[in-house]
Amino acid sequence: MKISVNEILLELHNGAKVKDAILKFYSYQEKRRPRHLPAVEDKFGNRVEYDGELTDGTFLYISGRRRGRSLLLLAGLILPAAGFFCACSISGKTGNVQQEERQAVIFAVNDIHAAIDNFPKLAYIVDSLESVYPGMLLVSAGDNQTGNPVNDQYPETGLPVIELMNATGFDLSAVGNHEFDSEPEGFSKLTHRAEFSFICANMSVEAPYNLKVEPFKIITLPNGLKLAFLGLVQLNQNGIPDSHPDKIKGFSFSSPFATAGKYLGLKDQSDIFIVLSHLGFPDDVKLAETMPAGIDLIIGGHSHTRVEKEQVHNGILITQAESKLKYGSLIRLTVNHDGVLQKTMELIDIRNSPGEKPSVRAMVDNYNNNQALKEVIATALDDFSSHEELGYLMADAQRHYAGADIALVNPGGVRMGALAKGPVTIMDIYKLDPFGNDLIMTKLTGMEIHSLMMAAYLMDGEPLYPSGLKITLKKDNAGNMADIIFMTEKDSLLERDRTYTVAMNSYMTSVYRYEHKDPGQSLFISAADATIDWFRKMQIIKSYRGEKRIQIIK
């Protein structure tokens, strides 16, 4: 995909995130990466998070400054005692006219990504708001799952998030691309464990999965207002959500833009028509600008955009609240006595809430105390006594998971220097590879692999750890790298013009400057989780003692 950073067009692997684009920008500019990455904004002036997901054609800007924290911590709304707020009239009218006004209030979050530790604060704020707005709805714009091993490696994958959403009182959720991470059967089970509704209109189920997902939902509030919610999920350049193709077998998808047009009749069935979108902010704007009149509000997710000031496009209010329950959007929709709809929003700081809901805190503490991360997934037959041996192990795991010809691991990506023989746990893998970088599959020729290895060596001062290759590095008399010779596992020379499939992590695809045509494709799984998957299948890890895949000669 093509992404613009500070007006410089960059090509990134499909599935890239904001951090990948910023790292690529510094690499392209041949600038040293700052110790702390700078703040990043989209072309609409919204702050975007580094783990925000990108769509082709996105424009990003490095602001060069770190803005002060936007503390709309219900400032002036939260009082020291939990549950007490001061409510302000939106219309400013009094008497009989105000009685005729009807208001819908929605608290919206998006891209929770299994940030379970923030649920107690969310629950506190929700309870407090509901004391002021008794009919308030609580909704999520998708990607509730993936990002925390306590949740992701739970015996029933993803269940902690669902149970916490139930306890907090969610009414509705869009389907995000990461809802598919638990695969069709797992996702189906979670939809039935949820005490709220999932909606997605541009998805259909071809296989006989008992999935509890509706295209839309009409909710009638106690004051009689009818709110129609339409769910939409993003599609990448391959026509599917950003997920591994194996995880969406049995599903088919249609354009979210064409689909939205088919549901404009919902406006006639409701007082307020809302799209609960997992498209990303740029595509939410595109939807707003290309749709005929009808949609009143878009509650968005996917791009991890922090909308702090009201964004109105083509008369449609668009909101998004960053990610991981750091913020939420408080949305007030008031239908005046003359039928005119007034729309306001403000960003609420969840992370710095002064209180927590004790019952939800107890649930979170229980999840964090579970044994999931202590699960033994394999047994090592021998000690691993060096970064090199563990680098080979990681490369083997990633290569076999991806089904690639070759895998390469950067030396800085191996964070342990030893691993004792015997039981290997999930926690061991997360200590070995704590970064959360995605696993990327790239098609490279032998010449491009040579270019990659040279670029990596110049940057790191060490060779990449290979799987599927044996490498001889030749140095000149001055100690500089002169040449690299690659041999396959079958002891034949790597063919310079032949194309090979190469697996590596997303950090490597972003920072190394080398000659290549294919930007790569994310497999939408972290390199660590791919390693865990392979360990589970192998169960027995052979000895790597004395393994030498790299030789340096002069």
Side-chain angles (χ1 to χ4, degrees), residues 375-385 389-390 393-394 416 418-426 428-429 432 531 534-536 538-545:
E375 178 191 347
V376 175
I377 53 175
T379 300
L381 296 180
D382 200 355
D383 292 328
F384 287 80
S385 57
E389 290 177 1
L390 287 166
L393 175 64
M394 291 168 64
M416 289 169 57
L419 180 67
K421 68 179 180 180
V424 180
T425 67
I426 289 173
D428 289 328
I429 305 305
L432 180 64
T531 302
W534 183 70
F535 273 41
R536 280 187 168 133
M538 293 298 292
Q539 294 190 355
I540 301 297
I541 306 302
K542 71 180 183 70
S543 174
Y544 282 66
R545 186 184 295 269

Side-chain angles (χ1 to χ4, degrees), residues 274-350:
I274 301 165
V275 173
L276 196 55
S277 157
H278 197 77
L279 303 183
F281 194 86
D283 276 353
D284 285 339
V285 173
K286 178 181 176 181
L287 178 66
E289 292 179 341
T290 58
M291 289 296 292
I295 296 173
D296 298 303
L297 166 70
I298 298 174
I299 298 173
H302 187 61
S303 55
H304 299 194
T305 305
R306 187 197 304 176
V307 179
E308 300 182 57
K309 298 179 181 179
E310 290 180 1
Q311 289 269 358
V312 179
H313 297 264
N314 196 24
I316 300 172
L317 178 66
I318 304 176
T319 71
Q320 195 172 150
E322 202 174 288
S323 65
K324 297 183 179 179
L325 296 183
K326 295 190 287 288
Y327 299 92
S329 299
L330 180 62
I331 305 161
R332 300 181 184 91
L333 307 166
T334 305
V335 180
N336 289 340
H337 67 285
D338 55 3
V340 175
L341 179 64
Q342 292 182 339
K343 299 170 280 190
T344 65
M345 65 77 62
E346 58 184 311
L347 197 66
I348 305 300
D349 190 328
I350 297 172

Side-chain angles (χ1 to χ4, degrees), residues 144-145 156-159 162 166 173-175 179-180 182-200 203 205 209-214 251:
N144 308 314
Q145 300 293 342
E156 187 173 345
T157 304
L159 184 59
I162 295 297
N166 289 341
S173 177
V175 173
E179 262 60 70
F180 299 99
S182 55
E183 302 188 355
E185 290 187 7
F187 181 26
S188 177
K189 289 178 181 178
L190 293 180
T191 64
H192 287 273
R193 298 295 293 267
E195 296 170 5
F196 52 91
S197 299
F198 281 94
I199 57 172
C200 186
M203 175 191 79
V205 184
Y209 297 116
N210 185 21
L211 202 68
K212 191 180 173 184
V213 178
E214 306 168 77
F251 296 93

Side-chain angles (χ1 to χ4, degrees), residues 148-149 210 219 223 241 247 265 309 313 364 496 515 522:
N148 181 349
N210 185 21
I219 298 176
N223 61 14
K247 296 184 177 181
K309 298 179 181 179
H313 297 264
V364 171
R496 296 175 67 84
E515 297 296 329
S522 174

